[in-house]
mmCIF file of all heavy atoms in Angstrom:
data_model
loop_
_atom_site.group_PDB
_atom_site.id
_atom_site.type_symbol
_atom_site.label_atom_id
_atom_site.label_comp_id
_atom_site.label_asym_id
_atom_site.label_seq_id
_atom_site.Cartn_x
_atom_site.Cartn_y
_atom_site.Cartn_z
ATOM 1 N N ILE V 140 12.362 5.162 -15.233
ATOM 2 C CA ILE V 140 12.572 5.960 -14.051
ATOM 3 C C ILE V 140 13.133 5.129 -12.945
ATOM 4 O O ILE V 140 14.111 5.478 -12.252
ATOM 5 C CB ILE V 140 11.333 6.786 -13.755
ATOM 6 C CG1 ILE V 140 10.858 7.743 -14.752
ATOM 7 C CG2 ILE V 140 11.402 7.380 -12.331
ATOM 8 C CD1 ILE V 140 11.939 8.904 -14.883
ATOM 9 N N LEU V 141 12.488 3.933 -12.718
ATOM 10 C CA LEU V 141 12.859 3.195 -11.590
ATOM 11 C C LEU V 141 14.287 2.535 -11.775
ATOM 12 O O LEU V 141 14.965 2.368 -10.813
ATOM 13 C CB LEU V 141 11.797 1.954 -11.395
ATOM 14 C CG LEU V 141 10.607 2.218 -10.517
ATOM 15 C CD1 LEU V 141 11.055 2.249 -9.132
ATOM 16 C CD2 LEU V 141 9.790 3.355 -10.990
ATOM 17 N N PHE V 142 14.691 2.268 -12.976
ATOM 18 C CA PHE V 142 16.001 1.820 -13.197
ATOM 19 C C PHE V 142 17.003 2.859 -12.781
ATOM 20 O O PHE V 142 17.999 2.540 -12.114
ATOM 21 C CB PHE V 142 16.234 1.372 -14.692
ATOM 22 C CG PHE V 142 17.736 1.164 -15.075
ATOM 23 C CD1 PHE V 142 18.312 -0.113 -14.670
ATOM 24 C CD2 PHE V 142 18.394 2.183 -15.733
ATOM 25 C CE1 PHE V 142 19.681 -0.242 -14.970
ATOM 26 C CE2 PHE V 142 19.789 1.925 -15.946
ATOM 27 C CZ PHE V 142 20.422 0.777 -15.636
ATOM 28 N N ASN V 143 16.830 4.080 -13.214
ATOM 29 C CA ASN V 143 17.806 5.108 -12.864
ATOM 30 C C ASN V 143 17.678 5.475 -11.460
ATOM 31 O O ASN V 143 18.761 5.807 -10.841
ATOM 32 C CB ASN V 143 17.376 6.421 -13.674
ATOM 33 C CG ASN V 143 17.794 6.287 -15.197
ATOM 34 O OD1 ASN V 143 19.051 6.462 -15.400
ATOM 35 N ND2 ASN V 143 16.853 6.042 -16.020
ATOM 36 N N ILE V 144 16.614 5.410 -10.752
ATOM 37 C CA ILE V 144 16.458 5.651 -9.378
ATOM 38 C C ILE V 144 17.254 4.565 -8.622
ATOM 39 O O ILE V 144 17.789 4.742 -7.458
ATOM 40 C CB ILE V 144 15.066 5.855 -8.829
ATOM 41 C CG1 ILE V 144 14.441 7.088 -9.328
ATOM 42 C CG2 ILE V 144 14.849 5.761 -7.285
ATOM 43 C CD1 ILE V 144 13.021 7.259 -9.035
ATOM 44 N N SER V 145 17.342 3.426 -9.141
ATOM 45 C CA SER V 145 18.003 2.294 -8.415
ATOM 46 C C SER V 145 19.496 2.380 -8.434
ATOM 47 O O SER V 145 20.288 1.723 -7.731
ATOM 48 C CB SER V 145 17.608 0.884 -9.099
ATOM 49 O OG SER V 145 18.140 0.781 -10.330
ATOM 50 N N LEU V 146 20.080 3.293 -9.427
ATOM 51 C CA LEU V 146 21.601 3.241 -9.476
ATOM 52 C C LEU V 146 22.130 3.783 -8.164
ATOM 53 O O LEU V 146 21.787 4.887 -7.660
ATOM 54 C CB LEU V 146 21.796 4.171 -10.725
ATOM 55 C CG LEU V 146 21.328 3.629 -12.013
ATOM 56 C CD1 LEU V 146 21.716 4.645 -13.146
ATOM 57 C CD2 LEU V 146 22.026 2.416 -12.444
ATOM 58 N N PRO V 147 23.370 3.399 -7.905
ATOM 59 C CA PRO V 147 24.081 3.965 -6.816
ATOM 60 C C PRO V 147 24.458 5.343 -7.190
ATOM 61 O O PRO V 147 24.786 5.759 -8.254
ATOM 62 C CB PRO V 147 25.378 3.146 -6.670
ATOM 63 C CG PRO V 147 24.934 1.849 -7.463
ATOM 64 C CD PRO V 147 24.038 2.181 -8.509
ATOM 65 N N PHE V 148 24.500 6.257 -6.125
ATOM 66 C CA PHE V 148 24.859 7.721 -6.308
ATOM 67 C C PHE V 148 23.932 8.428 -7.255
ATOM 68 O O PHE V 148 23.263 9.358 -6.860
ATOM 69 C CB PHE V 148 26.313 7.846 -6.751
ATOM 70 C CG PHE V 148 27.341 7.068 -5.946
ATOM 71 C CD1 PHE V 148 28.026 5.976 -6.518
ATOM 72 C CD2 PHE V 148 27.504 7.412 -4.572
ATOM 73 C CE1 PHE V 148 28.922 5.362 -5.750
ATOM 74 C CE2 PHE V 148 28.417 6.659 -3.771
ATOM 75 C CZ PHE V 148 29.084 5.638 -4.384
ATOM 76 N N LEU V 149 23.792 8.028 -8.400
ATOM 77 C CA LEU V 149 22.974 8.751 -9.419
ATOM 78 C C LEU V 149 21.507 8.635 -8.956
ATOM 79 O O LEU V 149 20.659 9.593 -9.373
ATOM 80 C CB LEU V 149 23.191 8.206 -10.838
ATOM 81 C CG LEU V 149 24.426 8.670 -11.670
ATOM 82 C CD1 LEU V 149 24.581 7.953 -12.899
ATOM 83 C CD2 LEU V 149 24.414 10.178 -11.816
ATOM 84 N N GLY V 150 21.181 7.482 -8.356
ATOM 85 C CA GLY V 150 19.676 7.265 -7.947
ATOM 86 C C GLY V 150 19.254 8.448 -7.059
ATOM 87 O O GLY V 150 18.129 8.821 -7.131
ATOM 88 N N ASN V 151 19.984 9.029 -6.254
ATOM 89 C CA ASN V 151 19.517 10.226 -5.322
ATOM 90 C C ASN V 151 19.251 11.184 -6.246
ATOM 91 O O ASN V 151 18.197 11.895 -5.998
ATOM 92 C CB ASN V 151 20.654 10.436 -4.399
ATOM 93 C CG ASN V 151 20.811 9.555 -3.137
ATOM 94 O OD1 ASN V 151 19.732 9.224 -2.580
ATOM 95 N ND2 ASN V 151 21.949 9.195 -2.693
ATOM 96 N N PHE V 152 20.045 11.571 -7.189
ATOM 97 C CA PHE V 152 19.810 12.744 -8.222
ATOM 98 C C PHE V 152 18.440 12.469 -8.915
ATOM 99 O O PHE V 152 17.701 13.434 -8.908
ATOM 100 C CB PHE V 152 20.916 12.792 -9.159
ATOM 101 C CG PHE V 152 20.648 13.809 -10.153
ATOM 102 C CD1 PHE V 152 20.663 15.161 -10.064
ATOM 103 C CD2 PHE V 152 20.328 13.311 -11.541
ATOM 104 C CE1 PHE V 152 20.410 16.100 -11.025
ATOM 105 C CE2 PHE V 152 20.152 14.165 -12.510
ATOM 106 C CZ PHE V 152 20.100 15.591 -12.321
ATOM 107 N N PHE V 153 18.225 11.304 -9.423
ATOM 108 C CA PHE V 153 17.046 11.064 -10.174
ATOM 109 C C PHE V 153 15.721 11.050 -9.251
ATOM 110 O O PHE V 153 14.797 11.532 -9.731
ATOM 111 C CB PHE V 153 17.162 9.703 -10.958
ATOM 112 C CG PHE V 153 17.797 9.682 -12.208
ATOM 113 C CD1 PHE V 153 19.073 9.490 -12.401
ATOM 114 C CD2 PHE V 153 17.128 10.096 -13.351
ATOM 115 C CE1 PHE V 153 19.763 9.529 -13.690
ATOM 116 C CE2 PHE V 153 17.743 10.175 -14.557
ATOM 117 C CZ PHE V 153 19.016 9.931 -14.666
ATOM 118 N N SER V 154 15.915 10.640 -8.073
ATOM 119 C CA SER V 154 14.726 10.620 -7.243
ATOM 120 C C SER V 154 14.216 12.017 -6.861
ATOM 121 O O SER V 154 13.200 12.315 -6.651
ATOM 122 C CB SER V 154 14.980 9.729 -5.951
ATOM 123 O OG SER V 154 15.968 10.412 -5.108
ATOM 124 N N ARG V 155 15.352 12.961 -6.797
ATOM 125 C CA ARG V 155 15.016 14.414 -6.577
ATOM 126 C C ARG V 155 14.318 15.131 -7.642
ATOM 127 O O ARG V 155 13.857 16.169 -7.636
ATOM 128 C CB ARG V 155 16.295 15.125 -6.002
ATOM 129 C CG ARG V 155 16.732 14.606 -4.683
ATOM 130 C CD ARG V 155 17.800 15.501 -4.165
ATOM 131 N NE ARG V 155 18.195 14.960 -2.865
ATOM 132 C CZ ARG V 155 19.315 14.199 -2.610
ATOM 133 N NH1 ARG V 155 20.073 13.899 -3.598
ATOM 134 N NH2 ARG V 155 19.671 13.940 -1.418
ATOM 135 N N LEU V 156 14.378 14.505 -8.819
ATOM 136 C CA LEU V 156 13.743 15.093 -10.003
ATOM 137 C C LEU V 156 12.210 14.886 -10.065
ATOM 138 O O LEU V 156 11.573 15.447 -10.921
ATOM 139 C CB LEU V 156 14.333 14.517 -11.251
ATOM 140 C CG LEU V 156 15.810 14.824 -11.537
ATOM 141 C CD1 LEU V 156 16.294 14.166 -12.800
ATOM 142 C CD2 LEU V 156 16.135 16.260 -11.554
ATOM 143 N N GLU V 157 11.674 14.138 -9.194
ATOM 144 C CA GLU V 157 10.137 13.682 -9.265
ATOM 145 C C GLU V 157 9.494 15.022 -9.238
ATOM 146 O O GLU V 157 9.666 15.950 -8.498
ATOM 147 C CB GLU V 157 9.849 12.923 -8.114
ATOM 148 C CG GLU V 157 8.276 12.449 -8.208
ATOM 149 C CD GLU V 157 7.841 11.680 -7.036
ATOM 150 O OE1 GLU V 157 8.650 10.967 -6.403
ATOM 151 O OE2 GLU V 157 6.658 11.625 -6.735
ATOM 152 N N ASN V 158 8.460 15.068 -10.134
ATOM 153 C CA ASN V 158 7.497 16.102 -10.253
ATOM 154 C C ASN V 158 6.070 15.545 -10.712
ATOM 155 O O ASN V 158 5.866 14.399 -10.798
ATOM 156 C CB ASN V 158 8.001 17.180 -11.238
ATOM 157 C CG ASN V 158 8.280 16.633 -12.570
ATOM 158 O OD1 ASN V 158 7.617 15.696 -13.071
ATOM 159 N ND2 ASN V 158 9.239 17.260 -13.302
ATOM 160 N N LYS V 159 5.211 16.411 -10.880
ATOM 161 C CA LYS V 159 3.839 15.916 -11.266
ATOM 162 C C LYS V 159 3.864 15.212 -12.527
ATOM 163 O O LYS V 159 3.062 14.077 -12.552
ATOM 164 C CB LYS V 159 2.945 17.110 -11.225
ATOM 165 C CG LYS V 159 1.455 16.811 -11.496
ATOM 166 C CD LYS V 159 0.569 18.146 -11.449
ATOM 167 C CE LYS V 159 -0.932 17.887 -11.810
ATOM 168 N NZ LYS V 159 -1.695 19.045 -11.705
ATOM 169 N N PHE V 160 4.473 15.501 -13.415
ATOM 170 C CA PHE V 160 4.541 14.911 -14.731
ATOM 171 C C PHE V 160 5.097 13.469 -14.636
ATOM 172 O O PHE V 160 4.562 12.422 -15.102
ATOM 173 C CB PHE V 160 5.362 15.651 -15.791
ATOM 174 C CG PHE V 160 5.645 14.889 -17.055
ATOM 175 C CD1 PHE V 160 4.652 14.827 -18.106
ATOM 176 C CD2 PHE V 160 6.751 14.152 -17.241
ATOM 177 C CE1 PHE V 160 4.916 14.167 -19.162
ATOM 178 C CE2 PHE V 160 6.966 13.411 -18.449
ATOM 179 C CZ PHE V 160 6.151 13.475 -19.414
ATOM 180 N N ILE V 161 6.184 13.394 -13.771
ATOM 181 C CA ILE V 161 6.910 12.049 -13.728
ATOM 182 C C ILE V 161 5.968 11.136 -12.895
ATOM 183 O O ILE V 161 5.855 9.953 -13.220
ATOM 184 C CB ILE V 161 8.292 12.182 -13.056
ATOM 185 C CG1 ILE V 161 9.321 12.708 -13.925
ATOM 186 C CG2 ILE V 161 8.724 10.857 -12.470
ATOM 187 C CD1 ILE V 161 10.602 13.158 -13.385
ATOM 188 N N LEU V 162 5.410 11.692 -11.688
ATOM 189 C CA LEU V 162 4.546 10.868 -10.956
ATOM 190 C C LEU V 162 3.276 10.326 -11.669
ATOM 191 O O LEU V 162 2.957 9.145 -11.572
ATOM 192 C CB LEU V 162 4.198 11.672 -9.686
ATOM 193 C CG LEU V 162 3.194 10.902 -8.700
ATOM 194 C CD1 LEU V 162 3.885 9.626 -8.193
ATOM 195 C CD2 LEU V 162 2.786 11.803 -7.537
ATOM 196 N N LYS V 163 2.751 11.167 -12.521
ATOM 197 C CA LYS V 163 1.453 10.790 -13.203
ATOM 198 C C LYS V 163 1.780 9.642 -14.158
ATOM 199 O O LYS V 163 0.989 8.726 -14.257
ATOM 200 C CB LYS V 163 0.915 11.981 -13.923
ATOM 201 C CG LYS V 163 -0.308 11.658 -14.635
ATOM 202 C CD LYS V 163 -1.143 12.794 -15.227
ATOM 203 C CE LYS V 163 -2.436 12.485 -15.944
ATOM 204 N NZ LYS V 163 -3.083 13.652 -16.572
ATOM 205 N N ASN V 164 2.877 9.791 -14.884
ATOM 206 C CA ASN V 164 3.246 8.907 -15.867
ATOM 207 C C ASN V 164 3.771 7.455 -15.263
ATOM 208 O O ASN V 164 3.546 6.545 -16.069
ATOM 209 C CB ASN V 164 4.179 9.440 -16.893
ATOM 210 C CG ASN V 164 3.598 10.311 -17.853
ATOM 211 O OD1 ASN V 164 2.967 9.932 -18.830
ATOM 212 N ND2 ASN V 164 3.627 11.632 -17.643
ATOM 213 N N ILE V 165 4.310 7.478 -14.075
ATOM 214 C CA ILE V 165 4.603 6.157 -13.450
ATOM 215 C C ILE V 165 3.357 5.693 -12.950
ATOM 216 O O ILE V 165 3.036 4.446 -13.280
ATOM 217 C CB ILE V 165 5.498 6.435 -12.225
ATOM 218 C CG1 ILE V 165 6.844 6.800 -12.731
ATOM 219 C CG2 ILE V 165 5.511 5.180 -11.371
ATOM 220 C CD1 ILE V 165 7.798 7.152 -11.556
ATOM 221 N N MET V 166 2.421 6.336 -12.385
ATOM 222 C CA MET V 166 1.179 5.863 -11.782
ATOM 223 C C MET V 166 0.263 5.403 -13.053
ATOM 224 O O MET V 166 -0.604 4.494 -12.815
ATOM 225 C CB MET V 166 0.456 6.956 -10.893
ATOM 226 C CG MET V 166 1.118 7.227 -9.689
ATOM 227 S SD MET V 166 0.303 8.225 -8.550
ATOM 228 C CE MET V 166 -1.029 6.962 -7.881
ATOM 229 N N ARG V 167 0.338 6.064 -14.118
ATOM 230 C CA ARG V 167 -0.411 5.673 -15.312
ATOM 231 C C ARG V 167 -0.457 4.169 -15.476
ATOM 232 O O ARG V 167 -1.496 3.592 -16.018
ATOM 233 C CB ARG V 167 -0.049 6.413 -16.503
ATOM 234 C CG ARG V 167 -0.748 6.159 -17.758
ATOM 235 C CD ARG V 167 -0.183 6.835 -19.013
ATOM 236 N NE ARG V 167 -0.183 8.350 -18.909
ATOM 237 C CZ ARG V 167 -1.159 9.014 -19.304
ATOM 238 N NH1 ARG V 167 -2.334 8.440 -19.751
ATOM 239 N NH2 ARG V 167 -1.144 10.304 -19.078
ATOM 240 N N GLY V 168 0.834 3.572 -15.311
ATOM 241 C CA GLY V 168 1.009 2.183 -15.507
ATOM 242 C C GLY V 168 0.061 1.203 -14.460
ATOM 243 O O GLY V 168 0.113 0.095 -14.573
ATOM 244 N N GLY V 169 -0.413 1.846 -13.516
ATOM 245 C CA GLY V 169 -1.283 1.047 -12.518
ATOM 246 C C GLY V 169 -2.658 1.370 -12.601
ATOM 247 O O GLY V 169 -3.440 0.864 -11.757
ATOM 248 N N PHE V 170 -3.205 2.021 -13.810
ATOM 249 C CA PHE V 170 -4.513 2.198 -13.913
ATOM 250 C C PHE V 170 -5.003 1.635 -15.237
ATOM 251 O O PHE V 170 -4.329 1.645 -16.279
ATOM 252 C CB PHE V 170 -4.805 3.797 -14.040
ATOM 253 C CG PHE V 170 -4.815 4.475 -12.721
ATOM 254 C CD1 PHE V 170 -3.789 4.974 -12.268
ATOM 255 C CD2 PHE V 170 -6.056 4.608 -12.045
ATOM 256 C CE1 PHE V 170 -3.698 5.604 -10.990
ATOM 257 C CE2 PHE V 170 -6.027 5.263 -10.830
ATOM 258 C CZ PHE V 170 -4.915 5.747 -10.226
ATOM 259 N N PHE V 171 -6.256 1.081 -15.367
ATOM 260 C CA PHE V 171 -6.874 0.701 -16.534
ATOM 261 C C PHE V 171 -7.408 1.994 -17.220
ATOM 262 O O PHE V 171 -7.292 2.222 -18.450
ATOM 263 C CB PHE V 171 -8.114 -0.172 -16.242
ATOM 264 C CG PHE V 171 -9.003 -0.420 -17.388
ATOM 265 C CD1 PHE V 171 -8.456 -1.454 -18.405
ATOM 266 C CD2 PHE V 171 -10.107 0.152 -17.590
ATOM 267 C CE1 PHE V 171 -9.240 -1.741 -19.437
ATOM 268 C CE2 PHE V 171 -11.072 -0.088 -18.703
ATOM 269 C CZ PHE V 171 -10.531 -1.036 -19.658
#
Side-chain angles (χ1 to χ4, degrees):
I140 295 296
L141 268 292
F142 170 77
N143 283 285
I144 291 175
S145 72
L146 297 173
F148 307 114
L149 284 176
N151 279 318
F152 170 75
F153 273 95
S154 65
R155 291 190 177 97
L156 294 178
E157 184 181 336
N158 56 32
K159 185 176 179 179
F160 172 82
I161 290 175
L162 179 59
K163 181 176 182 178
N164 281 283
I165 291 176
M166 293 190 73
R167 181 184 296 273
F170 283 87
F171 173 78

